[in-house]
Amino acid sequence: MCGIVGFTGSTPCKDILLTGLSLLEYRGYDSAGIAILDGARGMDVFRVKGRVEGLVKLVGNTPLFGTTGIGHTRWATHGKPSEVNAHPHRDCTGKIAIVHNGIIENFSELRTQLIEQGHVFISETDSEVIAHLLERAYEGDMRVAMTETIAQLEGAYTIVAVHADHPDEIVAVRKSSPLVVGCAEGCAVVASDTPALIEVTRDVVFPDDGVVCVLHSGGTVDYFDGDGVPVSPETVHIDWSIDEAKLGGYEDFMDKEIAEQPRVVRDTLAGRVKDGRVIIDELALTAEDIAAIDRVYIIACGTSYHAGLIAKNLIEAWSRIPCDVEVASEFRYRDPIVSPSTLVIAVSQSGETADTVEAVQLARTHGARVFAITNSVGSRITRESDGVIYAQAGPETCVAATKSFLAQVVALTLVALYLGQARGHLTCAQVRMFYREMQRLPEQITAILDDTTSIEHAAEIIDGATSALFIGRGIGATTCYEGALKLKEISYVHAEAFAAGEIKHGPIALVDEAMPVVALMIKSATRDKMVSNIAEVRARGAKVIGIATQGDPDAEHICDEVIYIPAVRECFSAITASVVLQVLARCVAKTRGCDVDKPRNLAKSVTVE
Ligand code: AGP
């Protein structure tokens, strides 16, 4: 959950590291640090509690000419955010510095052992043991020391290390945690995610677990397996550019990523239906395979889980295959009914979410066929799955998922159409009709984003509240789960979502004048039921923000504020309504002065359990 960057070359690396860290700050932002090797001065280390901008101030104009260095932004697991717990961590000699992402599960026993042997620890982190283990193993070759060190570690890690006696070299390794390596003329770079090295090269390597990478300042990288045998990993081309990872005039990344959604929906849909047939070659399923599926499981966390809940409605409606959606952290620790006739769809924007990847592994041990829907080329989930469908969202920097969510919903909708058609429940004509309607979604989203005045007015109702309820039915209910998550994670307003039919069974006890209610009353089979549910909460004093289909005859009379959205078929309504809920959450968060891109306590990739 931390950001890592390392550079070795022939030019001073200070600014490269600091820029790389700011591009990766979405991965963790409670402290930051860099270590730079400088032949004459040994090693300079700067660390701060807080954001990268604080680190930039601390480093200031210090003349640093070293051309090899490593940097880190932290999301604390062991030890509170503080300067002393910030990375890089050093060994007792002060010559070795490491940065680490992940959790070393056996750090306590290793630490005790190392202390008994005379090593002195200064932080509360699990990571510091790595520096001391490297010190203990080092006999002149950092690659060998790294191989010996990781043999003693349990848990997940990306480790990047430097030694002052090797100012032209960086050593890196990973296990169940992200790492990407690249090189160009006269330099080599390593990072926990591609944005930090895309300006150097777009041809990158995602090394396998346990492969030790040795980066040389001349612009080469050597890779070794656990026995020290050289290996040649595959190079992957990244097809987005650095401009996509920059703000480009928007106020914040959330604003930018919300605005990109028409393009994202268009790209995710592109080329998926030909002659009335849904094309998802990535699934590589034969007609017999599809006929044999007796259950679909969607496993995911957070926003991706909500995309799964929306898809369940469509998969069951169109293919008649039972579909269960489960939070990955629950799925992996129980005994789910999974067999070779189960189709598992794992959904993860980052492709690195530890619980989702572990759940994938569990499903595969039961013989299930597992497909991933992810936004991240080369991510862990892509290696663990039988097939991958890429959501075409491009880099998403704001911690709160927006465009990746829409891309997931669209990709899952295509999978639902595909299964429905393959099982003989949807004709080519129906598929064509649905696809045509989906192709209109980008312009409908654009229409919503072109005039957000009514959303801004509605946000005023929530601004001063401490809690809000979201209610809807069917796909509207699942859309509400995501709307409530968005609001709570970026504005810190407590929000809960309920299937509207459930509120009389308890939640309505919460309703009074201080409890705004966001109600999805879009045109659907249950729209009239929603009208009654709105009346019930209003009768108890709640102010209601209604999201209704343009032309709805009642909305204005029964809601305090109405946000109208273009008419779409109910099965696609999550796509348009979610955009409204994203904008609503952002408006509330902005008014409350929150940092929408980097909400407190969160990080973009949850690579630890
Ligand atoms: C949502 O805004 C959050 N970023 C979070 O719930 C996220 O969706 C969850 O952590 C899962 O991440 P993933 O899609 O990368 O697996």
Side-chain angles (χ1 to χ4, degrees), residues 41-116:
R41 296 154 60 125
M43 187 188 304
D44 291 297
V45 176
F46 297 85
R47 301 185 301 182
V48 290
K49 177 182 172 194
R51 303 278 172 96
V52 174
E53 62 184 5
L55 182 66
V56 172
K57 275 197 200 115
L58 177 74
V59 176
N61 295 324
T62 314
L64 294 167
F65 302 108
T67 60
T68 295
I70 56 178
H72 189 267
T73 62
R74 179 168 183 249
W75 187 89
T77 57
H78 296 66
K80 62 185 177 304
S82 66
E83 187 198 329
V84 82
N85 288 332
H87 298 216
H89 291 290
R90 276 166 292 180
D91 69 329
C92 301
T93 69
K95 287 189 163 191
I96 295 173
I98 66 101
V99 289
H100 165 230
N101 175 36
I103 290 180
I104 305 302
E105 285 164 5
N106 60 338
F107 88 97
S108 182
E109 63 191 77
L110 289 170
R111 188 179 163 112
T112 307
Q113 190 191 88
L114 286 157
I115 290 172
E116 278 166 13

Coordinates of all heavy atoms in Angstrom, one line a residue, residues 41-116:
R41 N 30.0 11.5 -0.2 CA 29.3 11.7 1.1 C 28.7 10.5 1.7 O 28.2 10.5 2.8 CB 28.2 12.7 0.9 CG 28.7 14.1 0.5 CD 27.6 14.8 -0.3 NE 26.4 15.0 0.5 CZ 25.9 16.2 0.7 NH1 26.4 17.3 0.2 NH2 24.8 16.3 1.4
G42 N 28.8 9.4 1.0 CA 28.1 8.2 1.5 C 26.7 8.2 1.1 O 26.3 8.1 -0.1
M43 N 25.8 8.4 2.1 CA 24.4 8.3 1.8 C 23.6 9.5 2.5 O 23.9 9.7 3.7 CB 23.8 7.0 2.4 CG 22.4 6.7 2.0 SD 21.7 5.3 2.8 CE 22.7 4.0 2.4
D44 N 22.8 10.1 1.8 CA 21.9 11.2 2.4 C 20.5 10.6 2.5 O 20.0 10.1 1.6 CB 21.9 12.4 1.5 CG 23.2 13.1 1.4 OD1 23.6 13.6 2.5 OD2 23.8 13.2 0.3
V45 N 20.0 10.8 3.7 CA 18.6 10.3 3.9 C 17.7 11.4 4.5 O 18.1 12.2 5.4 CB 18.6 9.1 4.9 CG1 17.1 8.7 5.2 CG2 19.4 7.9 4.4
F46 N 16.6 11.6 3.9 CA 15.6 12.6 4.3 C 14.3 11.9 4.5 O 13.8 11.2 3.7 CB 15.4 13.7 3.2 CG 16.7 14.5 2.9 CD1 17.6 14.0 2.0 CD2 16.9 15.7 3.6 CE1 18.8 14.7 1.7 CE2 18.1 16.4 3.3 CZ 19.0 15.9 2.4
R47 N 13.6 12.2 5.7 CA 12.3 11.6 5.9 C 11.4 12.5 6.7 O 11.9 13.3 7.5 CB 12.5 10.3 6.8 CG 13.4 9.3 6.2 CD 13.5 8.0 7.0 NE 14.0 8.2 8.4 CZ 14.2 7.2 9.2 NH1 13.9 6.0 8.9 NH2 14.6 7.5 10.4
V48 N 10.2 12.5 6.3 CA 9.2 13.4 7.0 C 7.9 12.6 7.4 O 7.6 11.7 6.6 CB 8.8 14.6 6.2 CG1 9.9 15.6 6.0 CG2 8.2 14.2 4.9
K49 N 7.3 13.1 8.4 CA 5.9 12.6 8.6 C 5.0 13.5 7.7 O 5.3 14.7 7.6 CB 5.5 12.9 10.1 CG 4.1 12.5 10.4 CD 3.8 12.8 11.8 CE 2.3 12.6 12.0 NZ 1.7 13.1 13.2
G50 N 4.1 12.9 7.0 CA 3.2 13.6 6.2 C 3.5 13.4 4.7 O 4.0 12.4 4.3
R51 N 3.1 14.4 3.9 CA 3.0 14.3 2.5 C 4.4 14.5 1.8 O 5.3 15.1 2.4 CB 2.0 15.3 1.9 CG 0.6 15.1 2.4 CD -0.1 14.0 1.7 NE -1.4 13.7 2.3 CZ -2.6 14.2 1.9 NH1 -2.6 15.1 0.9 NH2 -3.7 13.9 2.5
V52 N 4.4 14.2 0.5 CA 5.6 14.3 -0.3 C 6.0 15.8 -0.3 O 7.2 16.2 -0.4 CB 5.5 13.8 -1.7 CG1 6.7 14.1 -2.6 CG2 5.3 12.2 -1.6
E53 N 5.0 16.7 -0.3 CA 5.3 18.1 -0.4 C 6.2 18.6 0.8 O 7.0 19.4 0.7 CB 4.1 19.0 -0.6 CG 3.1 18.9 0.6 CD 1.8 19.7 0.4 OE1 1.6 20.3 -0.7 OE2 1.0 19.8 1.3
G54 N 6.0 17.9 1.9 CA 6.8 18.2 3.1 C 8.2 17.7 2.9 O 9.2 18.4 3.3
L55 N 8.3 16.6 2.2 CA 9.7 16.1 1.9 C 10.4 17.0 1.0 O 11.6 17.3 1.1 CB 9.5 14.7 1.3 CG 10.8 13.9 1.0 CD1 11.6 13.6 2.2 CD2 10.5 12.6 0.2
V56 N 9.7 17.5 0.0 CA 10.3 18.4 -1.0 C 10.8 19.6 -0.3 O 11.9 20.1 -0.5 CB 9.2 18.8 -2.1 CG1 9.8 19.9 -3.0 CG2 8.8 17.6 -2.9
K57 N 10.0 20.1 0.7 CA 10.4 21.3 1.5 C 11.7 21.0 2.3 O 12.6 21.8 2.4 CB 9.3 21.8 2.4 CG 8.3 22.7 1.8 CD 7.5 23.4 2.8 CE 6.2 23.9 2.1 NZ 5.0 23.3 2.6
L58 N 11.7 19.8 2.9 CA 12.8 19.4 3.8 C 14.1 19.3 2.9 O 15.1 19.8 3.4 CB 12.5 18.0 4.4 CG 13.6 17.5 5.3 CD1 13.7 18.2 6.6 CD2 13.4 16.0 5.6
V59 N 14.0 18.7 1.8 CA 15.2 18.5 0.9 C 15.6 19.9 0.4 O 16.8 20.2 0.4 CB 14.9 17.5 -0.2 CG1 16.1 17.4 -1.2 CG2 14.5 16.2 0.3
G60 N 14.6 20.7 0.1 CA 14.9 22.1 -0.3 C 15.9 22.2 -1.3 O 15.9 21.4 -2.3
N61 N 16.8 23.1 -1.1 CA 17.9 23.3 -2.1 C 19.2 22.6 -1.7 O 20.2 22.9 -2.3 CB 18.2 24.8 -2.3 CG 17.0 25.5 -2.8 OD1 16.2 24.9 -3.7 ND2 16.7 26.7 -2.4
T62 N 19.1 21.6 -0.8 CA 20.3 20.9 -0.5 C 20.9 20.3 -1.7 O 20.3 19.7 -2.6 CB 19.9 19.6 0.4 OG1 19.0 20.0 1.4 CG2 21.1 19.0 1.0
P63 N 22.2 20.7 -1.9 CA 22.9 20.2 -3.2 C 23.1 18.7 -3.1 O 23.9 18.2 -2.3 CB 24.2 21.0 -3.2 CG 24.4 21.4 -1.8 CD 23.1 21.4 -1.1
L64 N 22.4 17.9 -3.9 CA 22.5 16.5 -3.9 C 22.8 16.0 -5.3 O 22.0 16.3 -6.2 CB 21.2 15.8 -3.4 CG 20.7 16.1 -2.0 CD1 19.3 15.6 -1.7 CD2 21.7 15.3 -1.0
F65 N 24.0 15.5 -5.5 CA 24.4 15.2 -6.8 C 24.4 13.7 -7.1 O 24.7 13.2 -8.2 CB 25.8 15.7 -7.1 CG 25.8 17.3 -6.9 CD1 26.5 17.8 -5.8 CD2 25.1 18.1 -7.8 CE1 26.4 19.2 -5.7 CE2 25.1 19.4 -7.6 CZ 25.7 20.0 -6.5
G66 N 24.0 12.9 -6.1 CA 24.0 11.4 -6.2 C 23.1 11.0 -7.4 O 22.1 11.6 -7.6
T67 N 23.5 10.0 -8.1 CA 22.7 9.5 -9.2 C 22.0 8.2 -9.0 O 21.5 7.6 -9.9 CB 23.7 9.4 -10.5 OG1 24.7 8.4 -10.2 CG2 24.3 10.7 -10.8
T68 N 22.1 7.7 -7.8 CA 21.4 6.5 -7.4 C 20.7 6.7 -6.1 O 21.2 7.2 -5.1 CB 22.4 5.3 -7.2 OG1 23.0 5.0 -8.5 CG2 21.7 4.0 -6.7
G69 N 19.4 6.4 -6.1 CA 18.6 6.6 -4.9 C 17.3 5.8 -4.9 O 16.9 5.3 -5.9
I70 N 16.7 5.8 -3.7 CA 15.4 5.1 -3.5 C 14.4 6.1 -2.7 O 14.9 6.9 -1.9 CB 15.5 3.8 -2.8 CG1 16.2 3.9 -1.5 CG2 16.3 2.8 -3.7 CD1 16.3 2.6 -0.7
G71 N 13.2 5.9 -2.9 CA 12.2 6.7 -2.2 C 10.9 5.9 -1.8 O 10.7 4.9 -2.4
H72 N 10.1 6.5 -0.9 CA 9.0 5.7 -0.4 C 7.9 6.7 0.1 O 8.2 7.7 0.7 CB 9.5 4.9 0.8 CG 8.6 3.9 1.3 ND1 7.7 4.2 2.4 CD2 8.3 2.6 1.0 CE1 7.0 3.1 2.7 NE2 7.4 2.1 1.9
T73 N 6.7 6.4 -0.1 CA 5.6 7.0 0.6 C 4.9 5.9 1.4 O 4.6 4.9 0.8 CB 4.6 7.7 -0.3 OG1 4.0 6.7 -1.2 CG2 5.2 8.8 -1.2
R74 N 4.5 6.2 2.6 CA 4.1 5.1 3.5 C 2.6 5.2 3.8 O 2.0 6.3 4.0 CB 4.9 5.2 4.8 CG 4.6 4.2 5.8 CD 5.6 4.2 7.0 NE 5.4 3.2 7.9 CZ 5.0 3.4 9.2 NH1 4.8 4.6 9.6 NH2 4.7 2.4 10.0
W75 N 2.0 4.0 4.0 CA 0.7 3.8 4.6 C 1.0 2.9 5.7 O 1.3 1.7 5.6 CB -0.3 3.2 3.6 CG -1.7 3.1 4.1 CD1 -2.7 4.0 4.0 CD2 -2.3 2.0 4.8 NE1 -3.8 3.6 4.6 CE2 -3.6 2.4 5.1 CE3 -1.8 0.8 5.2 CZ2 -4.5 1.5 5.8 CZ3 -2.7 -0.1 5.9 CH2 -4.0 0.3 6.2
A76 N 0.9 3.4 6.9 CA 1.4 2.7 8.1 C 0.7 1.4 8.4 O -0.6 1.4 8.4 CB 1.3 3.7 9.3
T77 N 1.4 0.4 8.7 CA 0.8 -0.8 9.3 C 1.4 -1.0 10.7 O 0.7 -1.0 11.6 CB 1.1 -2.1 8.4 OG1 2.5 -2.2 8.2 CG2 0.5 -2.0 7.0
H78 N 2.7 -1.2 10.8 CA 3.4 -1.4 12.1 C 4.1 -0.1 12.5 O 5.1 0.3 11.9 CB 4.4 -2.5 12.0 CG 3.8 -3.8 11.7 ND1 3.2 -4.1 10.5 CD2 3.7 -5.0 12.4 CE1 2.7 -5.3 10.5 NE2 3.0 -5.9 11.6
G79 N 3.6 0.6 13.5 CA 4.2 1.8 14.0 C 3.5 3.0 13.4 O 3.2 3.0 12.2
K80 N 3.2 4.0 14.2 CA 2.4 5.1 13.8 C 3.2 5.9 12.7 O 4.4 5.8 12.6 CB 2.1 6.0 15.0 CG 3.3 6.6 15.7 CD 2.9 7.3 17.0 CE 4.1 7.8 17.7 NZ 5.1 6.8 18.1
P81 N 2.5 6.8 12.0 CA 3.2 7.7 11.1 C 4.1 8.6 11.8 O 3.6 9.4 12.7 CB 2.0 8.4 10.4 CG 0.8 7.6 10.6 CD 1.0 6.9 11.9
S82 N 5.4 8.6 11.6 CA 6.3 9.5 12.2 C 7.6 9.5 11.4 O 7.8 8.6 10.5 CB 6.6 9.0 13.6 OG 7.3 7.7 13.5
E83 N 8.5 10.4 11.7 CA 9.7 10.5 10.9 C 10.5 9.2 11.1 O 11.1 8.6 10.2 CB 10.5 11.7 11.3 CG 11.7 11.9 10.4 CD 12.8 12.8 11.0 OE1 12.4 13.7 11.8 OE2 14.0 12.6 10.7
V84 N 10.6 8.8 12.4 CA 11.4 7.6 12.7 C 10.9 6.3 12.0 O 11.7 5.5 11.7 CB 11.6 7.5 14.2 CG1 10.5 6.8 14.9 CG2 12.9 6.8 14.5
N85 N 9.6 6.3 11.9 CA 9.0 5.1 11.2 C 9.0 5.2 9.7 O 8.7 4.2 9.0 CB 7.6 4.8 11.7 CG 7.7 4.3 13.2 OD1 8.6 3.6 13.6 ND2 6.6 4.5 13.9
A86 N 9.3 6.4 9.2 CA 9.3 6.6 7.7 C 10.4 5.8 7.1 O 11.5 5.6 7.7 CB 9.4 8.0 7.4
H87 N 10.2 5.4 5.8 CA 11.3 4.7 5.1 C 12.1 5.8 4.4 O 11.6 6.9 4.2 CB 10.7 3.8 4.1 CG 9.9 2.7 4.7 ND1 9.8 1.4 4.1 CD2 9.0 2.6 5.7 CE1 9.0 0.6 4.8 NE2 8.5 1.4 5.8
P88 N 13.3 5.6 3.9 CA 14.1 4.3 4.0 C 14.6 4.0 5.4 O 14.8 4.9 6.2 CB 15.3 4.6 3.1 CG 14.8 5.8 2.2 CD 13.9 6.6 3.0
H89 N 14.7 2.7 5.7 CA 15.3 2.3 6.9 C 16.8 1.8 6.6 O 17.0 1.3 5.5 CB 14.5 1.1 7.5 CG 13.2 1.6 8.0 ND1 13.0 2.4 9.1 CD2 12.0 1.4 7.5 CE1 11.8 2.7 9.2 NE2 11.1 2.1 8.3
R90 N 17.6 2.0 7.6 CA 19.0 1.7 7.4 C 19.5 0.6 8.4 O 18.8 0.3 9.4 CB 19.9 2.9 7.6 CG 20.0 3.7 6.4 CD 20.6 5.1 6.6 NE 19.7 5.9 7.5 CZ 19.9 7.1 7.8 NH1 21.1 7.7 7.5 NH2 19.1 7.8 8.6
D91 N 20.6 -0.1 8.1 CA 21.2 -1.1 9.0 C 22.1 -0.4 10.0 O 22.1 0.9 10.0 CB 22.0 -2.1 8.1 CG 23.2 -1.4 7.5 OD1 23.2 -0.2 7.2 OD2 24.2 -2.1 7.4
C92 N 22.8 -1.1 10.8 CA 23.6 -0.5 11.8 C 24.8 0.2 11.2 O 25.3 1.2 11.8 CB 24.2 -1.6 12.8 SG 22.8 -2.5 13.6
T93 N 25.3 -0.2 10.1 CA 26.5 0.5 9.5 C 26.1 1.8 8.8 O 26.9 2.6 8.5 CB 27.2 -0.4 8.4 OG1 26.3 -0.5 7.3 CG2 27.5 -1.8 9.0
G94 N 24.8 1.9 8.6 CA 24.4 3.1 7.8 C 24.6 3.1 6.4 O 24.4 4.0 5.6
K95 N 25.2 1.9 5.9 CA 25.5 1.8 4.5 C 24.4 1.2 3.6 O 24.4 1.4 2.4 CB 26.8 0.9 4.3 CG 28.1 1.6 4.8 CD 29.3 0.8 4.4 CE 30.5 1.6 4.4 NZ 31.7 1.0 3.8
I96 N 23.5 0.5 4.3 CA 22.4 -0.2 3.5 C 21.2 0.6 3.8 O 20.9 1.0 5.0 CB 22.3 -1.6 4.0 CG1 23.5 -2.5 3.6 CG2 21.0 -2.2 3.4 CD1 23.5 -3.9 4.1
A97 N 20.4 0.9 2.8 CA 19.1 1.5 3.0 C 18.0 0.7 2.2 O 18.3 0.3 1.1 CB 19.1 3.0 2.5
I98 N 16.9 0.5 2.8 CA 15.8 -0.2 2.1 C 14.5 0.5 2.2 O 14.2 1.3 3.1 CB 15.6 -1.6 2.7 CG1 15.0 -1.5 4.2 CG2 16.8 -2.4 2.7 CD1 13.6 -1.7 4.3
V99 N 13.6 0.3 1.2 CA 12.2 0.7 1.3 C 11.4 -0.6 1.1 O 11.8 -1.5 0.3 CB 11.9 1.8 0.2 CG1 12.5 3.1 0.6 CG2 12.3 1.3 -1.2
H100 N 10.3 -0.6 1.7 CA 9.5 -1.9 1.7 C 8.0 -1.6 1.6 O 7.5 -0.6 2.2 CB 9.8 -2.6 3.0 CG 8.8 -3.7 3.4 ND1 8.2 -3.8 4.6 CD2 8.4 -4.8 2.7 CE1 7.4 -4.9 4.6 NE2 7.5 -5.5 3.5
N101 N 7.3 -2.4 0.8 CA 5.8 -2.4 0.8 C 5.4 -3.8 1.2 O 5.9 -4.7 0.7 CB 5.3 -2.0 -0.6 CG 3.8 -2.1 -0.7 OD1 3.1 -1.8 0.2 ND2 3.3 -2.6 -1.8
G102 N 4.4 -3.9 2.1 CA 3.9 -5.2 2.5 C 4.0 -5.3 4.0 O 4.1 -4.4 4.7
I103 N 3.9 -6.6 4.4 CA 4.0 -6.9 5.8 C 4.9 -8.1 6.0 O 4.7 -9.1 5.4 CB 2.6 -7.2 6.5 CG1 1.7 -5.9 6.5 CG2 2.7 -7.7 7.9 CD1 0.4 -6.1 7.1
I104 N 5.9 -7.9 6.9 CA 6.7 -9.1 7.2 C 6.1 -9.7 8.5 O 6.2 -9.2 9.6 CB 8.2 -8.6 7.5 CG1 8.8 -7.8 6.4 CG2 9.1 -9.8 7.9 CD1 8.8 -8.5 5.0
E105 N 5.5 -10.9 8.2 CA 4.7 -11.5 9.3 C 5.5 -12.0 10.4 O 5.1 -12.1 11.6 CB 3.8 -12.6 8.7 CG 2.6 -12.0 7.9 CD 1.9 -12.9 7.0 OE1 2.3 -14.1 7.0 OE2 1.0 -12.5 6.2
N106 N 6.7 -12.4 10.1 CA 7.6 -13.0 11.2 C 8.6 -12.0 11.7 O 9.7 -12.3 12.2 CB 8.3 -14.3 10.7 CG 9.2 -14.1 9.5 OD1 9.0 -13.1 8.8 ND2 10.1 -14.9 9.3
F107 N 8.3 -10.7 11.6 CA 9.3 -9.7 11.9 C 9.6 -9.7 13.4 O 10.8 -9.4 13.8 CB 8.8 -8.3 11.5 CG 8.0 -7.6 12.5 CD1 8.5 -6.6 13.4 CD2 6.6 -7.8 12.7 CE1 7.8 -6.0 14.4 CE2 5.8 -7.2 13.6 CZ 6.4 -6.3 14.5
S108 N 8.6 -10.1 14.2 CA 8.9 -10.0 15.7 C 10.0 -11.0 16.1 O 11.0 -10.6 16.8 CB 7.6 -10.3 16.4 OG 7.8 -10.2 17.7
E109 N 9.9 -12.2 15.6 CA 11.0 -13.2 16.0 C 12.3 -12.8 15.3 O 13.4 -13.0 16.0 CB 10.5 -14.6 15.6 CG 10.3 -14.9 14.2 CD 9.6 -16.2 13.8 OE1 8.4 -16.3 14.0 OE2 10.4 -17.1 13.4
L110 N 12.3 -12.3 14.1 CA 13.5 -11.9 13.5 C 14.2 -10.7 14.2 O 15.4 -10.7 14.4 CB 13.2 -11.5 12.0 CG 12.9 -12.6 11.0 CD1 12.4 -12.0 9.7 CD2 14.1 -13.5 10.8
R111 N 13.3 -9.8 14.7 CA 13.8 -8.7 15.4 C 14.5 -9.1 16.7 O 15.6 -8.6 17.0 CB 12.7 -7.7 15.6 CG 13.0 -6.4 16.2 CD 11.7 -5.6 16.4 NE 11.9 -4.5 17.3 CZ 11.8 -3.2 16.9 NH1 11.6 -2.9 15.6 NH2 12.0 -2.2 17.7
T112 N 13.8 -10.0 17.4 CA 14.4 -10.5 18.7 C 15.7 -11.1 18.4 O 16.7 -10.8 19.1 CB 13.4 -11.5 19.3 OG1 12.1 -10.9 19.4 CG2 13.9 -12.0 20.7
Q113 N 15.8 -12.0 17.4 CA 17.0 -12.7 17.1 C 18.1 -11.7 16.7 O 19.3 -11.8 17.2 CB 16.7 -13.5 15.9 CG 17.7 -14.5 15.4 CD 17.2 -15.0 14.0 OE1 17.5 -14.4 13.0 NE2 16.4 -16.1 14.0
L114 N 17.8 -10.7 15.9 CA 18.8 -9.7 15.5 C 19.3 -8.8 16.7 O 20.5 -8.5 16.8 CB 18.2 -8.8 14.4 CG 18.1 -9.5 13.0 CD1 17.0 -8.8 12.1 CD2 19.4 -9.5 12.3
I115 N 18.4 -8.5 17.5 CA 18.7 -7.7 18.7 C 19.7 -8.5 19.6 O 20.7 -8.0 20.1 CB 17.5 -7.2 19.5 CG1 16.7 -6.2 18.7 CG2 17.9 -6.7 20.9 CD1 15.4 -5.8 19.2
E116 N 19.4 -9.8 19.7 CA 20.3 -10.7 20.5 C 21.7 -10.7 19.9 O 22.7 -10.9 20.6 CB 19.7 -12.1 20.6 CG 18.7 -12.3 21.7 CD 17.9 -13.5 21.5 OE1 18.3 -14.4 20.7 OE2 16.8 -13.6 22.1

